Amino acid sequence: IIPVEDEQLKIDLLHVNLPNGHELFKNFSLTLKKGERVLIQGPSGQGKTTLLKAINRLWPYAEGEIYKSQKMKSLFI
C-alpha cells in the first residue's frame, strides 16, 4: 500500500489469484474519492470478499499498486 496525501483509494492493475493459481481478477483498476461509494455484488464464490482482502493486503495471492490515504479506515464484518 502506497500512502497518499489526499483522501482517496486508487487501485491500479490489481491481479488476484486463488492459491491454486486460478485467476479471479486481472488488471482491476478503481479510484474512489472521499464520499464516493461502490457496491460490490455477485454470486457466491466469485471473489467479492477476496477482492476486499487483496485491497487491504490480507490476501497473499495478489499483486498490483494500491494508493490509500492513511486517514482511510477499513472495517470487515
Side-chain angles (χ1 to χ4, degrees):
I1 296 178
I2 303 165
V4 292
E5 293 298 319
D6 52 344
E7 294 185 47
Q8 71 172 354
L9 170 67
K10 180 179 178 186
I11 303 164
D12 194 29
L13 302 175
L14 183 66
H15 302 276
V16 181
N17 297 311
L18 293 176
N20 66 6
H22 177 75
E23 190 172 83
L24 290 175
F25 299 96
K26 182 178 180 181
N27 296 326
F28 179 80
S29 296
L30 173 73
T31 299
L32 291 174
K33 295 182 180 172
K34 183 179 179 178
E36 293 182 322
R37 292 170 174 78
V38 66
L39 172 66
I40 301 171
Q41 68 181 52
S44 180
Q46 295 299 302
K48 300 175 300 292
T49 301
T50 304
L51 175 62
L52 293 175
K53 288 178 182 179
I55 290 170
N56 286 282
R57 295 296 188 209
L58 299 173
W59 188 254
Y61 310 102
E63 58 183 54
E65 293 185 350
I66 299 172
Y67 304 87
K68 182 178 174 185
S69 169
Q70 293 184 1
K71 294 179 183 180
M72 297 180 83
K73 306 292 183 215
S74 297
L75 173 67
F76 290 91
I77 298 177

